[in-house]
């Protein structure tokens, strides 16, 4: 390929729309162009990268025995309604593009394909003799992101590899899950990415266990919490830890039981309360009032208690509420804080916002429309484990000191609701502390169990002749996101530094001065010899200054550069490695011997 025929248009300055290095570089280097918010065109250079990533993915998936297929992007709402996810994906999170056809039938553009593949399995897989089977596809998917950002990292249309496995029992599912774990580690290593596997929340997809693969990068949207000994790593949504030990209240105060009133004018925050009275945040209990909305229109008020120094983990709370309420009310659409204005508008009784205690009575909910008449009361163990504490007094400008569970009110149901933090002690080894890093999610694998097969009646006959639901797993890789994540991990001040295995070209031959016959002739001969040796090579044959060509070569990030310049008359070329900047001048006749061993090693990616 010649640069003169590549439709290469590079930009000198960073586009205003781009926030992170990889987004800026892909736009500047002519890999992508924005068509609309969250929608990008993959230009020829980018398409070559995506093809190489897809090839690695296909090779590793095929190696595990998975079968490639292609499923429809347009999916009937009826399948999603049967699984219980339609409302959550349209009215709840609202991430699914959906429409009605001319007959009034509802359809959605698939962000994922669990429903479609399970419906097919119900029709095709009838006996244990057909199992296990693993089907995968690589195709475009869609998400109606509220705020598309960071280029291909969070777009409204993207390329994904998704696989779905079906099994006769849980042991078989676990075997395939482990095989996919190994395949994913090889995929990321072959693509030249430093990725870590972390425990993750299963989210709207569901299932009993899941694991994310994160590319470590400063611009990552996800916070990874990990132990220095390498034995624990999790996304913050899922992470667990040991909270700091609380500071006990003095014995005389702790004996009060129901708590002694304390005047606290305008002290509506834990910080203000502690500063005014010398309390430690671990001696306090804060109470959050939230409202959960469900598919059937019902709304459940929540009263959540946390120790004052802790933060609520919204994902853990959503999982807890779903487990307790969705069977009766359908999909959880959202959970939002209840404001004083909303409470007044709803006609609730007086609620002392900023001074609420865990003993707030259900009577304040009288008059609410479509609301459950009682609070769902939940608490984190950091709160329920306190023998005595300071909390709101359910009266404006008043707190209670020395309140205790049982004396003040019954202890709420206790479960992990807190967000683990950097510096927390690890549960597996309290001598270890959680350390934080940022990551970009590029893969996610799930043990789905029987969630979808039971909902869509995908059943098979087992060895005993009894019908039962299929066991399922699913496994996703963001192909387009992976490509940009590679740039985020491999760049410098001059541009992109692609790993050889996924670079659009392995070598670029730059003729410094095309008007010099010696340079042009040697450049063409070198280009042809590299092609004949099986090297993926690009020839910069443009009538541009040498400096422009060198800057573009650095910007687009081709791993190796062969410069044909003033030494051409003597048969000399310069070989430059993009990632290290190492240069060597050598006879053109020795180029292949010097270059090919390094290329062959680099094509394999990182060691795992």
């Amino acid at each position: 390929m010649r640069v003169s025929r590549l439709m290469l248009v590079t930009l000198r300055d960073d586009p205003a729309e781009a926030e992170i290095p990889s987004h800026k570089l892909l736009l500047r280097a002519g890999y992508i162009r924005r068509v609309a918010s969250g929608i990008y065109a993959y230009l020829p250079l980018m398409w070559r990268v995506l093809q190489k990533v897809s090839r690695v993915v296909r090779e590793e998936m095929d190696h595990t025995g998975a079968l490639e297929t292609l499923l429809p992007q347009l999916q009937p709402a009826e399948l999603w309604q049967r699984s219980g996810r339609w409302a959550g994906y349209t009215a709840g999170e609202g991430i699914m593009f959906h429409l009605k056809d001319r007959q009034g039938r509802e359809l959605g553009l698939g962000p994922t394909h669990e429903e479609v593949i399970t419906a097919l399995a119900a029709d095709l897989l009838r006996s244990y003799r057909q199992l296990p089977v693993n089907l995968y596809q690589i195709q475009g998917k869609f998400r109606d992101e509220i705020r598309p950002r960071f280029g291909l990292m969070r777009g409204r249309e993207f390329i994904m590899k998704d696989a779905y496995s079906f099994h006769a029992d849980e042991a078989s599912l676990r075997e395939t899950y482990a095989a996919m774990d190994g395949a994913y580690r090889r995929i990321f290593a072959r693509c030249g990415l430093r990725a870590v596997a972390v425990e993750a929340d299963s989210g709207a997809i569901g299932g009993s266990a899941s694991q994310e693969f994160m590319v470590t990068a400063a611009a990552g949207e996800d916070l990874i919490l990990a132990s220095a000994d390498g034995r624990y790593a999790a996304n913050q949504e899922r992470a667990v830890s040991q909270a700091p030990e609380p500071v006990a209240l003095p014995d005389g105060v702790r004996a009060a039981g129901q708590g002694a009133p304390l005047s606290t004018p305008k002290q509506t925050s834990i910080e203000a309360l502690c500063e005014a009275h010398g309390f430690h945040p671990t001696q306090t209990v804060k109470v959050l009032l939230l409202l959960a909305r469900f598919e059937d229109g019902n709304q459940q008020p929540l009263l959540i208690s946390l120790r004052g120094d802790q933060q609520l983990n919204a994902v853990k709370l959503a999982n807890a509420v779903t487990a307790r309420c969705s069977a009766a009310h359908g999909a959880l659409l959202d959970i939002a804080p209840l404001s004083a204005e909303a409470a007044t508008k709803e006609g609730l009784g007086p609620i002392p916002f900023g001074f609420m205690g865990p003993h707030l009575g259900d009577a304040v909910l009288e008059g609410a429309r479509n609301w459950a008449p009682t609070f769902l009361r939940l608490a984190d163990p950091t709160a329920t484990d306190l023998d005595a504490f300071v909390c709101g007094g359910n009266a404006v400008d008043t707190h209670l000191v020395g309140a205790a569970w049982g004396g003040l009110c019954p202890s709420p149901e206790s479960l992990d609701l807190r967000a683990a933090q950097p510096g927390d002690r690890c549960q597996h080894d309290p001598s270890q502390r959680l350390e934080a890093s940022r990551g970009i999610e590029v893969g996610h694998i799930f043990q789905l169990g029987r969630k979808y097969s039971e909902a869509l009646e995908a059943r098979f006959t087992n060895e005993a002749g009894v019908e039962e639901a299929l066991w399922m797993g699913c496994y996703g890789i963001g192909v387009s996101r992976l490509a940009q994540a590679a740039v985020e991990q491999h760049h410098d001040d001059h541009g992109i530094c692609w790993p050889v295995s996924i670079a659009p070209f392995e070598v670029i031959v730059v003729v410094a001065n095309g008007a010099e016959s010696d340079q042009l002739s040697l450049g063409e001969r070198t280009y042809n010899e590299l092609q004949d040796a099986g090297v993926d090579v690009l020839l910069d044959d443009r009538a541009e200054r040498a400096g422009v060509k060198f800057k573009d070569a650095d910007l687009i990030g081709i791993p190796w550069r062969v410069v044909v310049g003033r030494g051409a008359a003597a048969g000399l070329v310069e070989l430059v490695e993009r990632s290290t900047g190492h240069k060597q001048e050598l006879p053109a006749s020795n180029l292949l011997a010097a270059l090919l061993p390094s290329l062959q090693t680099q094509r394999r990616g990182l060691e795992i």
Side-chain angles (χ1 to χ4, degrees), residues 111 129 214 299 304 478 487:
R129 294 185 179 89
M214 297 281 194
Q299 302 183 81
I304 309 301
V487 178

Side-chain angles (χ1 to χ4, degrees), residues 110-445:
T112 185
H113 277 74
E114 283 81 9
E115 283 78 4
V116 169
I117 197 72
T118 307
L120 290 172
D123 183 43
L124 298 171
L125 301 176
R126 300 297 183 85
S127 169
Y128 72 93
R129 294 185 179 89
Q130 296 173 274
L131 303 173
V133 65
N134 191 4
L135 300 166
Y136 78 94
Q137 61 173 348
I138 300 175
Q139 68 157 213
K141 287 192 169 20
F142 305 87
R143 287 174 62 98
D144 190 5
E145 293 284 356
I146 295 174
R147 188 190 172 200
R149 60 191 308 212
F150 300 157
L152 307 184
M153 293 292 192
R154 188 167 292 282
R156 303 169 80 191
E157 182 177 358
F158 52 94
I159 299 174
M160 183 175 175
K161 186 284 300 177
D162 48 326
Y164 307 89
S165 63
F166 298 90
H167 309 268
D169 53 47
E170 189 174 11
S172 175
L173 166 59
R174 288 175 177 167
E175 287 178 6
T176 297
Y177 185 85
M180 289 296 101
D181 175 273
Y184 275 39
R185 293 172 191 268
R186 291 191 297 273
I187 287 168
F188 301 131
R190 288 183 60 186
C191 290
L193 296 177
R194 298 182 300 277
V196 296
V198 303
E199 292 182 14
D201 182 75
S202 296
I205 290 178
S208 60
S210 75
Q211 182 173 259
E212 287 175 340
F213 293 85
M214 297 281 194
V215 169
T216 53
E221 288 190 281
D222 292 286
L223 183 68
I224 303 169
L225 296 175
S227 60
D229 63 6
R231 293 171 57 196
Y232 181 77
N235 187 312
Q236 190 182 35
E237 293 177 345
R238 176 67 183 267
V240 295
S241 65
Q242 293 187 19
E245 289 294 327
V247 176
L249 286 170
D251 289 340
V253 174
R254 294 170 64 203
Q258 291 188 350
L262 175 69
S263 177
T264 54
K266 298 183 179 179
Q267 295 161 23
T268 57
S269 68
I270 297 294
E271 293 77 10
L273 176 68
C274 292
E275 183 178 354
H277 301 281
F279 297 127
H280 192 276
T282 61
Q283 297 171 329
T284 67
V285 168
K286 60 183 175 185
V287 176
L288 308 177
L289 180 55
L290 304 103
L291 190 65
R293 295 191 309 119
F294 292 91
E295 180 181 2
D296 67 355
N298 277 282
Q299 302 183 81
Q300 172 64 59
L302 311 173
L303 202 65
I304 309 301
S305 298
L306 293 164
R307 201 172 73 187
D309 63 322
Q310 298 301 306
Q311 300 300 315
L312 178 66
N313 184 314
V315 171
K316 292 179 181 178
L317 177 62
N319 291 340
V321 173
T322 295
R324 286 155 182 78
C325 302
S326 287
H329 301 300
L332 173 65
L333 301 183
D334 60 41
I335 297 176
L338 184 63
S339 65
E341 293 77 12
T344 301
K345 183 178 180 180
E346 190 64 33
L348 301 184
I351 298 177
F353 286 93
F355 303 93
M356 290 183 297
H359 57 305
L360 184 66
D362 294 331
V364 299
L365 302 175
E366 293 176 1
R369 299 176 296 276
N370 296 320
W371 284 28
T374 60
F375 287 113
L376 174 60
R377 300 171 185 267
L378 302 172
D380 186 77
T382 55
T384 56
D385 288 348
L386 292 175
D387 294 331
F389 49 85
V390 180
C391 68
N394 288 335
V396 174
D397 295 340
T398 302
H399 281 76
L400 299 176
V401 180
W405 303 111
L408 178 68
C409 63
S411 179
E413 181 183 355
S414 181
L415 70 162
D416 179 24
L417 296 174
R418 61 180 285 272
Q421 299 294 331
D424 284 353
R425 293 171 298 160
C426 297
Q427 289 195 348
H428 75 278
D429 181 355
S431 70
Q432 296 284 319
R433 299 275 178 171
L434 289 179
E435 299 176 353
S437 61
R438 308 300 302 187
I440 301 165
E441 181 191 346
V442 291
H444 204 154
I445 60 177

